[in-house]
């Protein structure tokens, strides 16, 4: 009775929000995706007068994306292009003195992808590659930079010609191999002896051709004058990571192996641990994999600052050069915390966040008394101020939106960021550092926004099994009219440790534009709600998280405007697994679309580029946890599936390889279940995000056609959906 009452209350609240008139703009069509402009990587100049940022558009006729660096004056002037449209440019970053704007570019004539333009005139100058401007951590006076790199010694002592020089890199005999080609010119296969020979994105990569060359990352220092050369500070067998110089220019903080062991010893230990059978006492115990040390800029012996479990990172000095802030989780399955340690006085680090649920990102020290950090608060993003003494955490930039790339000016008066909401694509914003006086600096998507109606989404929460509160959204169909009933599609995110939220998403608008509700949730296992929530699904994928999803569906089908006979379900990666899993457990959905799917955890483990995911999530390798791998594999229960299913998979996806989709397609075909299988060439696990534009839009169209056909509307009329079975 209590559960039923909760459903009634939620349904009543959702119904009360429902719009009662048709939308004024037209519906989104898949081809509109080509017109979208996406902003990212904002960088506020040290004097606060300009924001540089990346603008990405789509060149539809050439089936490609194009990126440029633009600049927006903060006084309200018109944004303008800073880089040539004839090259790809992105990721702007200001020099500490604001005279140069660095960016990455593929333009011709350079020896690297790092370019710069002078910014001490009225407009940017010509791009050039600075020969003596180091990239690293800079003290307050801007006199030098500290950075890390290898020993810079020439270790190439090869003698004579390379007999394999003309072979593809993956075909050359790797180090440790027993066999070699009889005639190198006639072998163009792949020779593999180690893991890591394929990765999603890069594809197949060669194993090492020579014995490991341990070249630990050392600390270097270099000034900014043309005559200044780099000077190495350290010469050790261990690497230095995350180097940060104190504002007074006297000390360098870095992270290293807790015992300062040589890299070769640490790597050998990690390799040996990876080969051992799963051991809960060893593999679940807290580990100390990295500690903070400080060293004088003149060199000498490092001094230990921390000695706690976890790996410290994101080192930020206080303006007083006495304290360090850093981010660390004491255990793999605990939340990241923001810590402060007194470098001069010593002592234990202090946890500034205590029981604050959310995890810190983009930490910076604004003044001796106050830090700033961003955090995902469930499905939205916010900027917080944190009292350096602990206790006071204030949310200053918030709202129902996703925000990325917070960037402050040199005096921490203003902050720039890119934001998006459910009904607004990305734009650039500026606010005072305390969150007041927020204003929008760009209008790249205004013309598209004026033409197309982007339906809003109602946010709601509900209580699921175990008393856990789950966040969810119901996005309305385009042209919604009260009194009519609409089909609904449940969307399931990937990961599983990612999250949906308060951002514009093409896939949702694709289906709402076709007249469907879209329901999306962040079930247990999602990020943004603390580590306990995130890792609550270990060894239990498809169990309580399935209940979380079904309870959301139960809530919304109680509405008068949702047709319970026209329900669809879709998702990618973990969402693709869960889509298949759901169709083995219920026939309430009239159609399904499995994207980047997993049907068999044993075959997935043996073919994916990240087998360590299930080794951690399922507590071991397959032979150490047979029941978990098999019992959580949808293929075991495929004989129960009756739901018409569209399968979409990428030929070069090494994260969720093609074999699992093939097994699912074969099984459904043999049982006479309506099924279609789309295989996209030249595409990876990231097709829906960064794939070729023509293929990405084609995929949007096919999802729309599939659900329109099975849930009501036009689309293909051939119900056979395939050949012989």
């Amino acid at each position: 009775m209590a559960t039923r009452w909760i459903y009634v209350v939620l349904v009543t609240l959702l119904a009360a929000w429902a719009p009662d008139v048709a939308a004024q703009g037209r519906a989104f069509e898949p081809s509109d995706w080509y017109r979208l402009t996406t902003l990212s990587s904002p960088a506020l100049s040290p004097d606060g007068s300009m924001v540089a940022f990346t603008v990405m558009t789509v060149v539809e006729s050439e089936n490609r994306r194009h990126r440029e660096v633009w600049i927006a004056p903060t006084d309200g002037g018109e944004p303008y292009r800073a880089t040539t449209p004839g090259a790809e440019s992105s990721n702007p970053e200001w020099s500490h003195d604001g005279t140069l704007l660095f960016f990455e570019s593929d333009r011709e004539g350079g020896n690297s992808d790092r370019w710069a333009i002078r910014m001490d005139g009225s407009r940017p100058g010509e791009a050039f590659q600075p020969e003596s401007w180091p990239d690293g951590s800079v003290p307050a006076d801007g006199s030098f930079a500290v950075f890390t790199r290898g020993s810079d010694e020439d270790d190439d002592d090869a003698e004579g010609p390379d007999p394999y020089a003309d072979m593809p890199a993956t075909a050359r005999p790797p180090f440790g191999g027993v066999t070699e080609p009889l005639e190198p010119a006639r072998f163009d296969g792949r020779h593999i002896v180690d893991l890591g020979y394929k990765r999603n994105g890069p594809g197949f990569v060669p194993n090492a051709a020579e014995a490991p060359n341990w070249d630990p990352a050392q600390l270097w220092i270099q000034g900014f004058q043309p005559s200044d050369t780099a000077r190495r500070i350290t010469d050790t067998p261990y690497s230095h990571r995350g180097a940060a110089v104190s504002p007074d220019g006297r000390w360098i903080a870095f992270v290293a192996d807790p015992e300062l062991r040589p890299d070769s010893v640490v790597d050998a230990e990690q390799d040996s641990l990876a080969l051992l059978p799963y051991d809960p006492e060893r593999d679940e115990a807290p580990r100390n994999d990295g500690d903070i040390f400080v060293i004088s800029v003149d060199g000498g012996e490092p001094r230990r600052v921390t000695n706690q479990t976890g790996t410290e990172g994101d080192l930020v000095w206080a303006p007083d050069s006495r304290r360090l802030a850093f981010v660390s989780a004491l255990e793999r399955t605990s939340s990241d915390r923001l810590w402060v340690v007194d470098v001069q006085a010593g002592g234990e680090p202090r946890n500034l966040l205590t029981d604050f649920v959310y995890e810190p990102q983009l930490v910076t020290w604004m003044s001796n008394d106050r830090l700033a950090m961003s955090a995902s608060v469930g499905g939205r993003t916010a900027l917080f101020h944190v009292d350096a003494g602990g206790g006071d955490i204030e949310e200053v930039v918030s709202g129902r939106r996703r925000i990325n790339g917070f960037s402050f000016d040199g005096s921490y008066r203003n902050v720039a960021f890119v934001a998006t909401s459910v009904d607004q694509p990305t734009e650039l914003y500026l606010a005072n550092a305390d969150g007041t006086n927020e204003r929008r600096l760009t209008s790249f998507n205004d013309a598209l926004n004026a033409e197309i109606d982007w339906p809003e989404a109602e946010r709601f929460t509900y209580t699921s099994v175990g008393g856990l509160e789950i966040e969810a959204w119901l996005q309305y169909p385009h042209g919604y009219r009260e009194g009519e009933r609409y089909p609904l599609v449940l969307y399931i995110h990937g990961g599983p440790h990612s999250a949906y939220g308060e951002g514009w998403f093409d896939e949702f608008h694709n289906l709402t534009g076709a007249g469907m509700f879209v329901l999306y949730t962040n079930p247990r296992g999602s990020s943004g709600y603390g580590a306990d929530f995130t890792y609550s699904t270990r060894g239990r994928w498809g169990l309580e998280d399935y209940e979380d999803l079904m309870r959301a569906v139960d809530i919304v089908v109680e509405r008068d405007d949702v047709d319970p006979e026209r329900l669809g379900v879709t998702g990618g990666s973990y969402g693709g697994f869960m889509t298949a899993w759901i169709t083995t457990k219920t026939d309430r959905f009239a159609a399904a679309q499995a994207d980047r799917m997993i049907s068999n955890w044993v075959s997935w483990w043996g073919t994916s580029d990240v087998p360590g995911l299930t080794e951690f999530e399922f507590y071991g390798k397959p032979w150490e946890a047979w029941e978990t791998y098999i019992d959580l594999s949808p293929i075991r229960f495929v004989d129960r599936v009756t739901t018409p299913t569209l399968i979409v998979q990428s030929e070069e996806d090494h994260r969720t390889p093609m074999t699992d989709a093939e097994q699912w397609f074969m099984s459904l075909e043999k049982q006479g279940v309506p099924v279609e299988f789309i295989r996209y060439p030249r595409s990876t696990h990231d097709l829906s995000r960064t794939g070729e534009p023509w293929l990405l839009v084609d995929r949007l169209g096919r999802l729309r056609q599939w659900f329109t056909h099975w849930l009501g509307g036009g689309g293909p009329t051939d119900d056979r959906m395939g050949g012989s079975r």
Side-chain angles (χ1 to χ4, degrees), residues 255 258 284-292 306-315 325-340 349-354 356-361 363 530-532 534-535 616:
V255 177
E284 299 297 325
R287 292 171 48 180
N288 184 10
D289 291 328
D291 282 333
I292 299 174
T306 64
N307 186 17
Q308 62 184 37
T309 58
T311 299
E312 288 79 293
D314 302 323
L315 312 186
F326 63 94
V327 175
S328 180
L330 296 182
E331 300 179 30
R332 183 171 179 179
T333 56
S334 63
S335 294
D336 277 334
R337 303 287 81 186
L338 176 59
W339 307 80
V340 168
R350 289 180 296 111
N351 174 7
L352 298 186
L353 303 187
T354 59
F356 183 75
V357 173
Y358 309 107
E359 300 183 84
Q361 303 166 331
V363 176
D532 289 345
T534 298
Y535 294 111
F616 171 71

Side-chain angles (χ1 to χ4, degrees), residues 459 461-471 522 524 529 533:
R459 175 188 175 274
T461 62
Y462 59 96
T463 302
S464 188
V465 292
L468 209 59
E469 184 179 74
I470 306 297
E471 188 175 25
N522 285 336
R524 69 193 69 205
Y529 305 88
F533 188 97

Side-chain angles (χ1 to χ4, degrees), residues 91-335:
N91 298 322
E93 183 179 355
W94 294 91
S95 64
H96 64 278
D97 60 0
T99 61
L100 295 177
L101 180 64
F102 294 94
F103 59 95
E104 298 174 7
S105 181
D106 66 352
R107 61 184 63 206
E108 297 180 356
N111 52 26
S112 73
D113 62 357
R114 186 177 185 239
W115 292 76
I117 46 181
R118 297 207 67 86
M119 297 299 299
D120 44 6
S122 58
R123 285 277 174 147
E126 291 294 323
F128 67 100
Q129 290 200 302
E131 297 180 357
S132 59
W133 194 280
D135 182 18
S137 177
V138 182
D141 66 4
S143 57
F144 61 86
V146 170
F147 54 94
T148 61
R149 73 180 186 202
S151 62
D152 213 27
E153 295 176 356
D154 185 3
D155 295 321
D156 186 7
D157 56 1
E159 297 180 1
D162 180 0
Y164 307 112
D166 296 329
M167 296 179 67
T170 56
R172 299 176 188 175
F175 173 76
V178 174
T179 67
E180 62 183 13
L182 292 178
E183 296 187 41
R186 296 183 178 183
F187 176 70
D188 59 356
R190 296 186 177 98
H191 190 162
I192 300 165
V193 297
D194 292 318
L195 295 177
Y197 65 91
K198 63 178 180 179
R199 295 197 298 273
N200 184 62
F204 289 96
V205 295
N207 291 148
E210 300 176 351
N213 177 23
W214 306 111
D215 189 15
Q218 306 298 326
L219 294 174
W220 296 72
I221 187 171
Q222 183 177 346
F224 293 98
Q225 298 302 316
S227 59
D228 291 336
T229 58
R231 173 174 59 86
R232 190 170 66 188
I233 300 173
T234 59
D235 184 10
T236 64
Y238 61 85
S239 282
H240 309 70
R241 305 188 301 273
V245 64
S246 59
D248 62 11
R250 298 177 57 198
W251 304 99
I252 303 169
F254 62 90
V255 177
D257 174 74
E259 300 175 33
L260 300 182
R261 295 172 298 174
D263 285 3
S264 57
V265 172
V266 175
D267 281 11
E269 179 184 86
Q270 292 174 347
D271 289 344
S272 64
L273 287 174
L275 297 174
L276 294 174
Y278 174 76
D279 181 348
E281 291 188 5
R282 181 195 66 234
D283 296 329
E284 299 297 325
R287 292 171 48 180
N288 184 10
D289 291 328
D291 282 333
I292 299 174
F293 298 82
V294 295
I295 191 173
S296 167
V297 294
D298 297 320
E301 290 298 316
R303 176 167 56 87
R304 181 185 298 274
V305 175
T306 64
N307 186 17
Q308 62 184 37
T309 58
T311 299
E312 288 79 293
D314 302 323
L315 312 186
V316 185
W317 285 92
D320 61 14
S321 296
R322 294 184 56 87
R323 294 165 292 164
L324 267 174
F326 63 94
V327 175
S328 180
L330 296 182
E331 300 179 30
R332 183 171 179 179
T333 56
S334 63
S335 294

Side-chain angles (χ1 to χ4, degrees), residues 10-11 13-19 400 422 455-462 471-477 480 486-491 501-502 508 512 516-522 552-553 555-563 567:
L10 285 169
V11 170
L13 290 173
L14 288 171
W17 180 88
R400 282 191 55 185
V422 171
E456 247 290 3
E458 173 70 0
R459 175 188 175 274
F460 64 100
T461 62
Y462 59 96
E471 188 175 25
W473 295 262
L474 182 67
Q475 190 163 342
Y476 277 70
Y480 175 88
Y486 297 88
L488 176 143
V489 175
L490 169 67
Y491 250 89
E502 304 282 6
F508 298 165
T512 60
M516 305 176 192
F517 278 108
V518 171
L519 170 66
Y520 51 104
T521 77
N522 285 336
V553 175
I555 290 169
V556 297
V557 297
E558 292 286 327
R559 296 167 52 106
D560 293 336
D561 51 6
V562 173
D563 188 344
L567 303 179

